[in-house]
Amino acid sequence: MLSSSPTVPAAAVLEPIEKGNSLWHDAWLRLRKNRLAVFGMWALAIITVACLFGPLVMHYGYEDQNLDLGASPPSAAHWLGTDTLGRDLLVRLFYGGRVSLAVGLSATLVALSIGVVYGAIAGFFGGKLDAVMMRTVDIMYSLPFPIFVILLMVFFGRNIILLFVAIGAVEWLTMARIVRGQVQSIKKMEFIEAARSLGLGRRRIIFRHILPNVLGPIIVYTTLTIPGVMLLEAFLSFLGLGVQPPMSSWGVLIKDGAEKMEEFPWLLIFPGTIFSLTLFSLNFLGDGLRDALDVRSSKD
Amino acid sequence: MRFALPPAATSWCLATLACMTLAVAGCSRHATAVDEGNRTQTLHFGNVGEPSELDPHIINAAPDYQIITALFEGLLNADPATMAPRPGVAETWDVSPDGLTYTFHLRTNAKWSNGDPITADDFLYSFRRALSPALASQYTFLFHAVRGADEFSSGKLADFSQVGFSAPDPRTLVVRLARVTPYFLGIVSANAIWYPVHRATIERLGRIDQRGTGWTRPENFVGNGPFVLKEWRPNQVIVAEKSPTYWDAAHVSLHAVYFHAIDSPDTQEVAFRSGQLHVTTGVPAAKATAYLKDHSALLLRTPILSTTFITVNVAHPPLNDQRIRLALALAFDRAQIASRINPARMAPAYSIVPEGMPGYQPYVRMKEDPAAARALFAEAGFPAGKGFPTLELSCETGASLELVQAIQEAWRTNLGIHVSIARRESRTHWETLHLKQYDLAISAWSADYPDPSSFLELWRGNGGWNFTNWADPHYDELLDTAASETDPAMRLKRLQVVESRLTNEMPVIPVSYDRDVRLVQPSVHNWATNPLQRPDYKAVWLGAP
């Protein structure tokens, strides 16, 4: 656990003069004051809970069709209407949310862990190691990235778990670059010198003193990655490599809705609204977290 | 044109927006391609995509056929409405009393686009090319009726003079058939593989049986149709201009045809609405329904000789069991599916041979019955679908996902089985079929000539298009019996027996008869889509609606 503020000289940690608040506690206090961030948190929580438990209380399954009904606007029986095959849109939104949120979070987590470690190592050690590592990233960048995912999918077969991993495995490149740049600037600061002169190991310096200082950009980029990943999932599903029909995801619902928006606007409006709301919430939360976690911001 | 503009459009902001839209529309009004085209007799045609080739002996995809009828002309043309043979390069023709020899008399004024006259030798050369084993055309089976053609195309016969074609003089072409084929003229009039190609051009650029020599590039192109290739911008547009040397040029009204390569029907519809296209290919399902309701005059629907069906790989158990195949066929409601998914395009199909085949009554005995389907499943050892493996239903990425899902769901609710859906890009999809690495696949076939045999011959045990692994000697025998029947009416009756065998064995499950659906601007006159979907640009003219 990261529990001490890295700006406090290491010597002070050894012999605390006064009992200060932890970085996390400070951050939490700051975050709570940010209204938009709180709104984002609540919205995300509600959407997630609804997607997880909503289907349990619904009368319809995501694949139950009612061809005689066809596409119908919102009504008492179907709160958000039905699609052209007479399937309840609300249930499909819930199930789609499960897939989209799961893909978004887990793929981002994969990207995050690879990208941060990779970037931090390249940035900290510099020199030849850095050159080799970053050129590798450049090469991977130059691969057309949907094709890379498709290759992975074709190679490992169609499988939703692999889809998470495959997307994560290509999304970490930008993260690695951002982290490397940040690490390079931070490693020249005095407190790192101090940590070094105290004889701390490299691993401890990287993970305990440098990374907490890069958290801001990492978090912001993470909140940007999640929507990107969700959209990529929609693209792969369209190519027949993502979720398989009749299962839905938000991306799939939006794509379907966009095709029929002139005739059946609710098929686009509701999934679009929920998707945008999720993305906004993620961004608000990300913004709030960056401000809250910025160790350089004044402590009051 | 808009759909369902809400009545709330009276609020001032929307009104402002409307004014702006009108202003923008007013500016672009002068520039629409359709208006400009109407003035200059230039037809803008929305083609489904980039053609693979413009060589009449090699083409095999739908976009190719939309263009080829403008660029070439065969011995005969098919009547736009009835499909009856009409004079083409051949002015008249005789049939011998035994029905085995056809003599075509070529018109004297038929010319290539470079001015060379078209002679019977040109046709001999073209047929030799089309049948060359090295050219490997996929449609050589359309020469099947001609004596010696199969042997020559399979390489068993090296001497082309022994094939049943001869040219006693430059204006006469004689074709000898292997057996009586009542629909022979139908084949000749509707298929590009029977079109002539320009010998000097082909030989200047390569061997007779060489593919991809570039002779169809605009700078090399020589054709004999009412239009001649002027420009080919890949994935954008192909321009065909009126050919001054065409024998009937006096009756060709259009100055040029632009074939725009637009894959998506949605994009085509938008282009149509914004005045960029005169004629589209296809209409998105949901929009077709809206047009049907509000603007039916713009929506042209033509019954065509085409059926959508599910191909079953009978080598994959339990699909080897006829009862299972039958149950799958009985367990979804075609009428409901067709009316819900794409009423403009689909009509429920209970036979493989579509309605509208001249003189033929399709064999329709099948009756959907979920209870009977369940009983068949139980009998075959899968009561309520228990123990049934998860099969894969393949389709192209362009296929209607709703159709596939409706069938999937009907099988789930009626039979208790789960079928997964595999969408593949078109080329991969067909490759999977050719390699027979699939369980069930959505497929469609359009007739090459107006006769039931164009469908029924597909499922011969050794047929190149038979992807089912279903080889039934009895079926082949029935086909042979029908083929050797000389009385045309009796022959069609026998073909009905052939179809009954197919329907009982069910290696292919009929889903829908298809219609050709497209949007046509009111300024387009004489547009006709015949049941074989061979457009005839010759008669089309543009003018005030």
Side-chain angles (χ1 to χ4, degrees):
Chain A
M1 274 300 285
L2 303 156
S3 57
S4 67
S5 164
T7 46
V8 181
V13 179
L14 298 174
E15 208 174 296
I17 300 163
E18 59 169 307
K19 174 126 180 75
N21 288 329
S22 76
L23 169 74
W24 298 103
H25 187 70
D26 280 344
W28 174 241
L29 288 180
R30 273 196 292 260
L31 186 66
R32 275 211 326 214
K33 279 188 207 145
N34 186 332
R35 279 197 190 159
L36 276 179
V38 172
F39 163 76
M41 254 190 308
W42 277 109
L44 279 179
I46 291 170
I47 290 172
T48 313
V49 170
C51 288
L52 283 180
F53 301 107
L56 303 179
V57 297
M58 298 292 293
H59 305 297
Y60 318 98
Y62 65 90
E63 51 186 356
D64 292 342
Q65 298 179 359
N66 183 348
L67 280 181
D68 288 328
L69 183 65
S72 67
S75 63
H78 300 279
W79 292 355
L80 299 188
T82 52
D83 69 6
T84 40
L85 292 173
R87 294 178 296 198
D88 188 81
L89 184 58
L90 184 58
V91 172
R92 290 181 65 73
L93 258 182
F94 286 153
Y95 277 96
R98 287 181 176 186
V99 174
S100 289
L101 289 173
V103 171
L105 291 178
S106 47
T108 306
L109 211 64
V110 173
L112 194 68
S113 11
I114 304 178
V116 168
V117 172
Y118 195 95
I121 291 173
F124 185 76
F125 290 101
K128 273 188 190 150
L129 181 70
D130 176 45
V132 171
M133 287 176 86
M134 291 328 280
R135 289 308 79 73
T136 315
V137 168
D138 291 346
I139 289 167
M140 293 187 68
Y141 247 118
S142 67
L143 292 175
F145 136 96
I147 293 176
F148 188 55
V149 179
I150 291 167
L151 267 180
L152 283 175
M153 298 299 300
V154 171
F155 196 69
F156 292 112
R158 266 196 290 257
N159 180 326
I160 195 85
I161 311 226
L162 273 169
L163 179 68
F164 300 160
V165 178
I167 296 179
V170 291
E171 279 284 352
W172 62 271
L173 300 170
T174 314
M175 185 68 85
R177 281 190 172 175
I178 291 173
V179 172
R180 169 183 171 270
Q182 293 286 322
V183 168
Q184 274 190 328
S185 70
I186 286 172
K187 75 170 180 189
K188 299 200 180 81
M189 291 186 169
E190 287 92 350
F191 72 93
I192 300 296
E193 283 299 312
R196 211 173 288 196
S197 62
L198 280 170
L200 294 187
R202 283 165 174 170
R203 185 192 295 194
R204 202 172 154 86
I205 294 177
I206 294 179
F207 290 104
R208 190 130 182 188
H209 295 281
I210 295 183
L211 279 187
N213 285 283
V214 213
L215 268 184
I218 291 181
I219 283 169
V220 172
Y221 188 69
T222 305
T223 56
L224 293 176
T225 306
I226 295 175
V229 167
M230 287 179 177
L231 291 173
L232 183 63
E233 180 275 322
F235 167 71
L236 287 176
S237 295
F238 173 66
L239 291 181
L241 293 166
V243 296
Q244 289 306 302
M247 189 35 106
S248 69
S249 74
W250 286 345
V252 171
L253 289 175
I254 288 172
K255 187 185 72 70
D256 284 355
E259 280 167 12
K260 293 162 193 150
M261 64 178 183
E262 279 174 286
E263 294 80 23
F264 315 120
W266 60 91
L267 291 181
L268 179 64
I269 291 173
F270 294 119
T273 311
I274 293 292
F275 191 59
S276 326
L277 187 65
T278 310
L279 301 197
F280 271 123
S281 304
L282 278 167
N283 276 333
F284 291 151
L285 186 62
D287 260 2
L289 277 175
R290 184 201 53 201
D291 293 344
L293 284 171
D294 189 355
V295 288
R296 273 160 287 187
S297 73
S298 64
K299 264 185 151 190
D300 37 17
Chain B
M1 195 176 329
R2 295 239 354 134
F3 301 90
L5 193 70
T10 45
S11 76
W12 71 268
C13 61
L14 276 181
T16 320
L17 199 70
C19 287
M20 280 163 61
T21 319
L22 276 178
V24 173
C27 297
S28 62
R29 201 79 215 124
H30 303 287
T32 77
V34 163
D35 293 339
E36 188 70 15
N38 290 345
R39 215 167 43 74
T40 59
Q41 293 293 318
T42 302
L43 182 79
H44 291 276
F45 179 88
N47 207 352
V48 275
E50 177 70 6
S52 52
E53 185 41 276
L54 288 180
D55 181 332
H57 298 158
I58 293 175
I59 59 165
N60 58 16
D64 316 353
Y65 285 98
Q66 305 303 309
I67 304 176
I68 210 76
T69 53
L71 301 180
F72 291 90
E73 184 176 54
L75 290 165
L76 306 174
N77 290 320
D79 185 278
T82 63
M83 293 179 288
R86 295 272 176 269
V89 176
E91 203 164 11
T92 58
W93 59 93
D94 322 308
V95 188
S96 65
D98 63 0
L100 285 172
T101 308
Y102 286 72
T103 310
F104 297 93
H105 306 283
L106 311 191
R107 60 179 78 246
T108 47
N109 55 350
K111 286 198 182 75
W112 292 100
S113 56
N114 66 352
D116 292 354
I118 302 172
T119 63
D121 278 331
D122 284 327
F123 279 95
L124 288 190
Y125 176 81
S126 303
F127 298 158
R128 178 151 68 95
R129 177 173 188 268
L131 284 168
S132 311
L135 192 77
S137 169
Q138 288 187 324
Y139 286 86
T140 50
F141 68 87
L142 292 170
F143 282 105
H144 177 69
V146 179
R147 188 182 298 171
D150 282 354
E151 288 80 357
F152 185 80
S153 70
S154 60
K156 275 182 225 145
L157 181 70
D159 181 9
F160 186 70
S161 64
Q162 289 183 35
V163 182
F165 296 113
S166 56
D169 67 74
R171 296 272 148 249
T172 312
L173 182 75
V174 180
V175 182
R176 291 190 179 78
L177 303 190
R179 59 182 173 208
V180 176
T181 310
Y183 50 91
F184 176 67
L185 292 176
I187 297 185
V188 175
S189 60
N191 288 288
I193 198 158
W194 281 84
Y195 288 174
V197 292
H198 190 245
R199 178 173 194 158
T201 307
I202 304 253
E203 291 187 339
R204 183 165 60 83
L205 293 160
R207 292 188 317 273
I208 178 168
D209 52 7
Q210 196 177 346
R211 278 178 178 240
T213 57
W215 75 268
T216 53
R217 295 221 192 90
E219 63 272 22
N220 302 325
F221 185 85
V222 176
N224 74 329
F227 298 88
V228 62
L229 184 67
K230 268 279 136 38
E231 204 184 336
W232 184 346
R233 273 181 275 153
N235 283 316
Q236 289 181 49
V237 71
I238 287 178
V239 181
E241 269 179 20
K242 181 175 173 175
S243 166
T245 62
Y246 180 61
W247 63 269
D248 201 15
H251 291 109
V252 179
S253 308
L254 289 178
H255 171 67
V257 186
Y258 280 62
F259 298 93
H260 298 272
I262 306 175
D263 287 318
S264 140
D266 285 287
T267 316
Q268 286 208 15
E269 195 268 342
V270 173
F272 178 85
R273 245 192 300 167
S274 61
Q276 301 302 310
L277 293 179
H278 281 104
V279 180
T280 70
T281 303
V283 185
K287 294 213 171 79
T289 317
Y291 271 102
L292 209 54
K293 217 166 64 196
D294 303 329
H295 305 278
S296 56
L298 296 173
L299 188 75
L300 184 72
R301 295 190 298 156
T302 324
I304 50 170
L305 296 175
S306 172
T307 309
T308 297
F309 51 85
I310 300 170
T311 298
V312 182
N313 189 345
V314 304
H316 286 190
L319 297 173
N320 54 349
D321 189 332
Q322 178 260 354
R323 290 168 299 187
I324 296 288
R325 302 197 294 265
L326 202 58
L328 291 175
L330 298 182
F332 59 95
D333 186 340
R334 289 161 179 76
Q336 192 191 35
I337 288 178
S339 70
R340 277 299 150 189
I341 289 171
N342 198 342
R345 186 185 158 80
M346 297 164 68
Y350 299 92
S351 66
I352 284 293
V353 178
E355 288 165 339
M357 209 50 106
Y360 182 77
Q361 194 60 45
Y363 178 86
V364 179
R365 295 285 185 285
M366 187 169 70
K367 213 163 166 278
E368 290 141 355
D369 185 349
R374 272 191 292 275
L376 281 168
F377 251 60
E379 208 184 298
F382 303 102
K386 275 196 191 68
F388 198 80
T390 300
L391 297 177
E392 203 177 64
L393 178 59
S394 310
C395 63
E396 292 179 64
T397 37
S400 159
L401 196 53
E402 267 129 25
L403 170 67
V404 192
Q405 289 184 87
I407 295 173
Q408 178 191 40
E409 175 66 5
W411 283 344
R412 186 181 75 92
T413 45
N414 292 332
L415 298 173
I417 61 168
H418 180 71
V419 172
S420 67
I421 293 172
R423 272 177 303 166
R424 296 193 179 87
E425 179 269 330
S426 180
R427 218 171 274 239
T428 327
H429 173 77
W430 286 103
E431 204 175 292
T432 321
L433 288 188
H434 274 283
L435 297 172
K436 297 175 183 160
Q437 289 172 345
Y438 71 100
D439 302 323
L440 300 152
I442 300 275
S443 199
W445 184 259
S446 302
D448 292 307
Y449 48 92
D451 188 82
S453 60
S454 181
F455 278 86
L456 299 173
E457 285 284 346
L458 294 179
W459 292 284
R460 262 187 198 278
N462 57 359
W465 294 91
N466 179 359
F467 307 129
T468 62
N469 277 319
W470 180 74
D472 181 21
H474 183 51
Y475 181 79
D476 296 359
E477 214 177 282
L478 287 171
L479 269 175
D480 290 336
T481 321
S484 57
E485 177 62 57
T486 47
D487 174 42
M490 194 58 206
R491 186 180 146 274
L492 290 174
K493 281 222 173 69
R494 287 201 190 282
L495 282 174
Q496 209 190 32
V497 177
V498 176
E499 196 183 8
S500 75
R501 176 78 185 163
L502 192 70
T503 315
N504 290 334
E505 285 290 313
M506 208 62 88
V508 280
I509 301 171
V511 175
S512 67
Y513 306 131
D514 303 325
R515 297 193 193 93
D516 176 275
V517 186
R518 56 179 81 233
L519 297 167
V520 181
Q521 300 280 8
S523 60
V524 179
H525 298 265
N526 277 354
W527 176 272
T529 311
N530 77 15
L532 295 173
Q533 280 182 299
R534 308 282 194 263
D536 178 16
Y537 302 97
K538 220 175 121 175
V540 176
W541 59 278
L542 303 169

